[in-house]
Amino acid sequence: MAGSTSSNAAFTDRTMVVSGGSRGIGLAIALGAARHGANVVLLAKTAEPHPKLPGTVHTAVAEVEAAGGKGVAVVGDVRNEDDVVRAVDTAVERFGGIDIVVNNASAIATEPTENLTAKKFDLMMDINVRGTFLLTKAALPHLRAAGGNIVNVSSIAGVEGEVYSAGYCAAKHGLVGLTRALAIEFTKDRLRVNAICPGGMPTAQTTEFQAPENADWDLIMRIASPRGFMDTADVAKTIAFLASDDAAAIHGAVYRVDNGKGAG
C-alpha cells in the first residue's frame, strides 16, 4: 500500500488499476509499473484475440507477471458501471486496496465534423470522459485511504486541437477539464489528480480503424505533433514520477509528454 516512495520505486508493492490496458499506451504503463514490483489490475474489453490486432487483457497480464509484477485481468467495459465496480472490488479483494488509478481507456475517430456520426461522437465522450468519472468514483474511498494518485491519460489534442477531429479533441479536452475539476474538489483529501497529454503517435485504434487507406502517418504525425513523436516509455516514466513522493506537491497539473522531452 501507499508509503514514502522515490520516482524510481513509486510502484513497489503498490496497487494500480489501469483501464484500457490490453495493448498500446495502457500496456506500456502497466509494464513500467510491473518492472518496479507493482500489483496491476487491467480493465479491458479484449478477452479474445482480434483478427488484426495483437494482444488481449489476458496476454497483457502474462506480460505484467513476466516483467516482475502481479497482474489480474478484469474483462469489462469502462462505460459499464458494474464492470468498473467489479474491477475495483477485484483490486481490493486481491491486493488489499488501491494506490493508483490510471484512466487510460480511450476511443478516437478522426473524421471531420461533417462526416462524424453522432454514435462515434457519443462513444468518444462515453469512454474518455464518462468512463474516467466512473472509475474514479468507484475507486475514490480506497484512494483516499491510501493517499493515492489518479492519473488521466488525455492527449495533446485535448489542449491544442491538433489535426484530429473536433469530436475527439472535445472528448480529450473534457478529460482535461474533469482532471482540473476533480483536483479542486479533492484539494483537502489525501490524494492527487493529474493528467498527462501524450504527443502524436499512431495507435492501433487510429491506424487500423480510423485512418484513410494508405494514410501518410509520418506526415500526419509531424503536423499533429511538431515537437516530435512520443514514446510509450515516456508516458510510463511520467506516471512513475507523478505517483512518487518527488511529485507530492503536484496536484491538478496537465503534463505534456513528447518524445525526447518528457513532461512539461
Side-chain angles (χ1 to χ4, degrees):
M1 296 302 295
S4 179
T5 58
S6 69
S7 57
N8 291 328
F11 300 128
T12 305
D13 297 324
R14 305 177 87 199
T15 299
M16 169 188 285
V17 178
V18 184
S19 65
S22 59
R23 60 175 68 95
I25 291 176
L27 178 56
I29 292 166
L31 292 177
R35 292 187 187 104
H36 293 286
N39 309 314
V40 183
V41 177
L42 296 177
L43 170 62
K45 295 189 298 180
T46 50
E48 302 295 332
H50 188 277
K52 296 183 179 181
L53 298 177
T56 68
V57 67
H58 302 296
T59 62
V61 165
E63 290 188 54
V64 163
E65 295 185 336
K70 297 177 182 178
V72 178
V74 176
V75 178
D77 190 331
V78 75
R79 295 171 293 172
N80 184 315
E81 190 168 10
D82 290 341
D83 289 348
V84 170
V85 170
R86 182 161 48 85
V88 168
D89 288 346
T90 298
V92 174
E93 291 166 6
R94 185 69 63 91
F95 301 118
I98 299 173
D99 297 280
I100 306 162
V101 165
V102 179
N103 288 297
N104 167 74
S106 180
I108 181 173
T110 57
E111 293 93 334
T113 298
E114 62 185 337
N115 297 328
L116 183 67
T117 65
K119 182 178 180 179
K120 286 187 177 181
F121 182 90
D122 289 345
L123 177 67
M124 289 188 286
M125 288 294 181
D126 281 350
I127 293 178
N128 290 296
V129 182
R130 184 175 182 272
T132 296
F133 167 77
L134 289 178
L135 182 52
T136 298
K137 179 181 177 181
L140 191 54
H142 310 290
L143 289 167
R144 281 189 172 124
N149 293 270
I150 300 166
V151 182
N152 298 326
V153 182
S154 182
S155 166
I156 290 293
V159 293
E160 291 188 357
E162 301 290 355
V163 75
Y164 298 115
S165 74
Y168 177 71
C169 293
K172 287 298 190 179
H173 184 71
L175 182 52
V176 169
L178 181 61
T179 298
R180 289 172 170 155
L182 291 172
I184 293 171
E185 181 178 346
F186 300 154
T187 296
K188 296 181 180 179
D189 289 292
R190 289 195 325 119
L191 59 88
R192 288 176 275 138
V193 188
N194 296 287
I196 59 173
C197 298
M201 181 185 72
T203 66
Q205 287 176 305
T206 54
T207 56
E208 181 63 34
F209 297 114
Q210 306 300 340
E213 187 175 357
N214 300 320
D216 185 346
W217 271 107
D218 285 342
L219 174 61
I220 291 173
M221 288 301 114
R222 283 200 298 274
I223 296 171
S225 185
R227 293 159 302 282
F229 289 86
M230 57 81 63
D231 189 289
T232 52
D234 293 333
V235 178
K237 290 175 183 176
T238 303
I239 290 179
F241 168 69
L242 290 174
S244 72
D245 286 350
D246 295 341
I250 299 176
H251 180 56
V254 176
Y255 270 60
R256 292 159 58 139
V257 186
D258 299 291
N259 187 38
K261 297 186 179 180

